Amino acid sequence: MTTPRFDAFTTALVAAMNAAPSIGGAGIPVYDGPTTSSNQDATSILVGGRFNDEDTDAGSFTLDWRTDGGAAATQDETITLNCAVQYWDGDADVAAARAGAFTVVGYVDSLIRSNVDLGVTALLWCHITSGQVRQELRSGAICIVDFTVTARAII
C-alpha cells in the first residue's frame, strides 16, 4: 500500500529548515504544528499551521488516479501545507517588521528552491504558492506572513 506523502513532506520541511544555516542555524525557532498566542519568540516559523489560535488547519492533500502505461496504477498527490513566519521588531516600525518577516520568508523560499524534493521519496517538486500578510502593533511592530507551500508527488 502506498501512503500519501503529506506527513513525510511536512517532517522533511521542518528538518530542512532546522538544518539550514540561515534558519535553524541562525537561531530562528521552527515549530512543527500549531503554537499558541503565548509564543514569545521575536522571530519564528510555523510549519503546519498559522500563528493564531483559531486556525489549526495544517494543510491538505488530494489524490487523483492516473495510469502511466504500466501494470500498476499510480496516483498524483497534491499537497498544500500551511506555514507562517512571525517577526517582531520591538519598536513601532511596521516597515522594519515587514522587511524582517519577508527576509525570513526569503530564506524559506531559497531553501526549497535549492532542494525541490527535500529528499522525500516520490516528491517531484515544492514551492511557495500564496501568502497573506498581517501587521499589528502590540508592544512593538509585528508582521506575520501566512504562506502556503504546495508540493506534487506521484505515489
Side-chain angles (χ1 to χ4, degrees):
M1 178 172 104
T2 57
T3 303
R5 305 280 71 208
F6 184 91
D7 176 52
F9 172 63
T10 303
T11 301
L13 185 57
V14 169
M17 286 184 188
N18 277 316
S22 60
I23 301 173
I28 298 173
V30 178
Y31 295 99
D32 184 350
T35 184
T36 65
S37 56
S38 63
N39 173 17
Q40 298 298 315
D41 297 312
T43 303
S44 55
I45 301 172
L46 179 61
V47 178
R50 303 287 191 217
F51 281 112
N52 66 57
D53 295 332
E54 293 80 38
D55 187 356
T56 58
D57 288 342
S60 64
F61 65 93
T62 58
L63 300 169
D64 292 313
W65 286 106
R66 65 181 280 164
T67 57
D68 292 311
T74 58
Q75 290 182 310
D76 288 324
E77 179 181 11
T78 302
I79 300 165
T80 57
L81 182 60
N82 295 329
C83 300
V85 165
Q86 173 180 271
Y87 188 94
W88 177 67
D89 180 63
D91 294 321
D93 190 343
V94 174
R98 186 176 53 248
F102 274 96
T103 295
V104 177
V105 171
Y107 296 154
V108 174
D109 187 49
S110 293
L111 170 69
I112 61 179
R113 283 176 184 250
S114 68
N115 187 6
V116 295
D117 68 2
L118 296 173
V120 176
T121 301
L123 195 71
L124 301 175
W125 51 260
C126 66
H127 64 103
I128 296 174
T129 53
S130 64
Q132 183 175 349
V133 181
R134 291 181 284 144
Q135 301 175 136
E136 303 174 20
L137 288 173
R138 188 175 9 134
S139 300
I142 298 171
C143 182
I144 297 172
V145 179
D146 295 321
F147 61 97
T148 301
V149 179
T150 301
R152 182 70 169 222
I154 297 176
I155 58 173

